[in-house]
Amino acid sequence: MSLSKQILEVLEYYCLRAVENTRHTTCRDKASLRDKVKVDKILWRAKLHEALDADVEKNFMLKFESYQDLNYLLKENVSLYSFSKSGEEVSFVQVEEGEDVYSSKHGPFLYISQYNLATHIITLKTDVLLKFIEGLEVPDTKIIFVANTGRCGSTLLAQMFENLSGLKVLSEPHSILNLLNMYNRKEITQERYHTLLRAAVKILASFQNDENLHSIVIKPVFKCTPQINFLSKAFPNSRTIFLYRNIKENVDSFMRVMVSFTRQSFLFTGESEMLEYWTNDIPLPDPVGKYRWALNPSLLKEMSLPGSIVLNWCSTVACIKAYIEQGIEILHMDYKVLVNSPKESWQRIADFTGLPNLEEKPLEAYNKDSQAGAFLSRGILAKAKIKKKDQAIIEQESIKFLAAFDLQRTVEEELNSVKGVLDREND
């Protein structure tokens, strides 16, 4: 991104904020009609970087258009977007008729495609929505969750699934990340959190008007890994896959992302802002149990950027290990296996999920950059270099945290070891 373009985007964002602040204080909406949804037309949108979440109040200028019945939410071009910070309101986006916001042709991540393609924002009270979906049956479509460490081929796998007919992929729906953030900050109770999380996934899987649809793949951001425990119980017929990459390659890759992100957005972000992302919402098991030490404020306050990425990797693997130990069936796969043995990998995935083994269609995803057109594309990351100082920190912090989390073996060995314990207990 050129400097002039970045300056323009920053100016647009702050201009929009100024206008919106004025509008909210002088033109507050009338009390919304009960059991109706409010449809607002988007007049203008702006955010500082495509990777950032877009807040309905901060990033859009809206004009009221109409009130509609709740069934409006079932339109094919309407999709769940986000919950308000209090959890009291929920927003959907509407795109042009015939546009598929879930398609990877628009980009690898749903939350970015929704922001870019939205023509309208639809809002309603969360409790009204909960009452509305009570009458909806738990979807008989198969739900497949793709948990991951990030930077491990999960987007490639999502696009392999996308190539199958009768299957829809939701790659990084930030509505469920939105709920996780609120729960971790104690803005909503655990009961409310679980109610909204179940409702969000039910909406994501149910509000799909396609009679040929048999499966939904939901690939959350790695921060959402703790949700797998609850979701596997809330949707007992679902299947969970866990993709991972060895710690050094994973952290190196994320560090290149951070270097690239800083280069593109230096006007509004620095290492302190990035550290805040990595030291918040540590993906530990729910409940945290023996890993509570990893949330110690004094530990997190002293973290370096590479060290905090190491901590997140260890937490994610420890989370999956704990859930397998609790009896959740999870297929785990190494990034190298997925990349180097595509046919064998798809065979394992198809067998585990019950999908047809039509390997020629899924394997077509290997022929393109899964992150093409996004800030994570190969061309952009290839230019990012990691400092020698940071490489040394990665090595030191990896040794320290692998020992602290008792993850001294390979990920495959660690996850198979707890599976073996369960097998022996069930004999």
Side-chain angles (χ1 to χ4, degrees):
M1 182 187 298
S2 66
L3 177 60
S4 58
K5 184 176 180 182
Q6 186 174 342
I7 292 173
L8 179 60
E9 290 192 354
V10 171
L11 289 174
E12 283 185 343
Y13 171 74
Y14 284 109
C15 285
L16 185 147
R17 290 294 307 278
V19 172
E20 279 296 274
N21 286 339
T22 302
R23 189 177 72 87
H24 285 310
T25 56
T26 60
C27 307
R28 293 188 183 276
D29 293 322
K30 304 291 185 184
S32 61
L33 299 177
R34 194 72 177 169
D35 298 333
K36 294 282 186 179
V37 301
K38 183 162 70 76
V39 181
D40 290 320
K41 182 177 178 60
I42 298 173
L43 301 179
W44 190 23
R45 79 198 76 197
K47 61 178 179 175
L48 295 170
H49 190 278
E50 67 171 338
L52 301 177
D53 277 329
D55 185 287
V56 169
E57 291 190 358
K58 294 180 180 178
N59 298 92
F60 296 95
M61 181 183 290
L62 305 173
K63 179 183 179 182
F64 173 76
E65 191 165 279
S66 66
Y67 283 107
Q68 298 289 340
D69 291 332
L70 289 167
N71 285 331
Y72 195 85
L73 300 174
L74 301 177
K75 287 168 62 73
E76 192 171 354
N77 59 330
V78 171
S79 58
L80 178 63
Y81 187 55
S82 67
F83 291 85
S84 65
K85 288 183 178 180
S86 63
E88 294 180 359
E89 288 191 337
V90 58
S91 299
F92 291 70
V93 299
Q94 179 177 333
V95 299
E96 295 286 356
E97 293 282 354
E99 193 72 85
D100 184 4
V101 74
Y102 304 106
S103 173
S104 64
K105 74 179 182 181
H106 300 301
F109 305 125
L110 175 61
Y111 76 102
I112 295 178
S113 295
Q114 287 178 308
Y115 171 81
N116 289 333
L117 297 176
T119 60
H120 295 76
I121 298 289
I122 303 163
T123 56
L124 71 158
K125 295 294 184 182
T126 304
D127 287 339
V128 173
L129 176 67
L130 292 175
K131 185 177 179 181
F132 175 62
I133 66 173
E134 277 179 9
L136 298 175
E137 295 181 2
V138 174
D140 56 7
T141 50
K142 182 180 301 179
I143 302 176
I144 301 168
F145 297 107
V146 180
N148 60 91
T149 60
R151 308 303 301 153
C152 61
S154 58
T155 304
L156 167 62
L157 177 57
Q159 292 175 17
M160 291 170 68
F161 280 122
E162 186 183 33
N163 285 344
L164 290 175
S165 59
L167 192 149
K168 188 161 287 189
V169 177
L170 284 61
S171 181
E172 300 198 8
H174 274 208
S175 51
I176 60 176
L177 174 62
N178 190 204
L179 293 173
L180 178 78
N181 296 154
M182 288 191 286
Y183 173 59
N184 286 344
R185 287 153 187 69
K186 304 189 185 308
E187 293 167 356
I188 53 176
T189 65
Q190 184 182 63
E191 181 181 4
R192 181 72 166 175
Y193 171 53
H194 285 164
T195 297
L196 295 180
L197 180 57
R198 184 180 184 277
V201 172
K202 189 175 179 181
I203 291 165
L204 292 170
S206 300
F207 289 20
Q208 308 288 345
N209 295 325
D210 185 347
E211 60 184 19
N212 297 316
L213 191 68
H214 57 73
S215 301
I216 294 285
V217 175
I218 299 177
K219 182 188 85 74
V221 65
F222 74 93
K223 291 280 190 179
C224 293
T225 306
Q227 296 174 333
I228 293 298
N229 184 18
F230 172 78
L231 291 174
S232 66
K233 296 171 184 174
F235 301 93
N237 295 324
S238 64
R239 305 294 272 167
T240 299
I241 299 169
F242 175 56
L243 274 178
Y244 60 89
R245 193 173 186 175
N246 80 59
I247 188 167
K248 185 179 186 311
E249 292 179 359
N250 182 269
V251 179
D252 281 356
S253 184
F254 265 126
M255 282 298 295
R256 288 200 304 275
V257 172
M258 295 298 99
V259 171
S260 173
F261 182 80
T262 304
R263 182 182 296 149
Q264 294 185 40
S265 54
F266 69 91
L267 287 177
F268 65 89
T269 191
E271 187 163 318
S272 61
E273 287 82 8
M274 290 188 290
L275 259 174
E276 184 178 354
Y277 170 80
W278 287 101
T279 54
N280 284 329
D281 305 303
I282 305 297
L284 293 164
D286 186 16
V288 173
K290 64 182 180 181
Y291 301 113
R292 188 166 297 281
W293 59 266
L295 299 176
N296 188 316
S298 60
L299 169 70
L300 298 176
K301 185 179 179 181
E302 299 301 321
M303 294 294 294
S304 64
L305 180 58
S308 65
I309 299 175
V310 169
L311 174 61
N312 276 261
W313 184 94
C314 290
S315 299
T316 304
V317 174
C319 186
I320 291 295
K321 181 179 177 180
Y323 290 168
I324 293 175
E325 196 165 14
Q326 292 170 24
I328 301 174
E329 188 177 8
I330 299 174
L331 172 67
H332 46 90
M333 183 175 292
D334 192 322
Y335 167 79
K336 285 187 176 179
V337 174
L338 179 69
V339 171
N340 296 329
S341 305
K343 290 185 179 180
E344 294 81 356
S345 296
W346 181 251
Q347 178 70 63
R348 285 180 63 198
I349 292 165
D351 290 345
F352 180 75
T353 57
L355 293 173
N357 186 23
L358 304 173
E359 63 181 37
E360 68 280 358
K361 294 298 290 182
L363 298 190
E364 289 176 6
Y366 283 78
N367 299 327
K368 66 175 184 176
D369 180 356
S370 62
Q371 309 278 5
F375 66 101
L376 299 177
S377 65
R378 293 172 191 165
I380 291 175
L381 295 187
K383 302 173 185 176
K385 304 298 179 183
I386 306 173
K387 298 175 182 177
K388 289 185 178 180
K389 176 190 70 173
D390 288 333
Q391 291 175 336
I393 293 174
I394 293 170
E395 184 69 28
Q396 295 165 5
E397 296 290 75
S398 295
I399 293 171
K400 179 176 78 174
F401 282 117
L402 286 172
F405 278 93
D406 192 21
L407 297 172
Q408 304 283 33
R409 298 169 289 186
T410 66
V411 177
E412 182 178 12
E413 290 171 336
E414 290 290 349
L415 301 185
N416 283 337
S417 71
V418 290
K419 190 173 183 180
V421 169
L422 280 173
D423 290 342
R424 288 194 295 272
E425 288 176 351
N426 293 331
D427 285 342

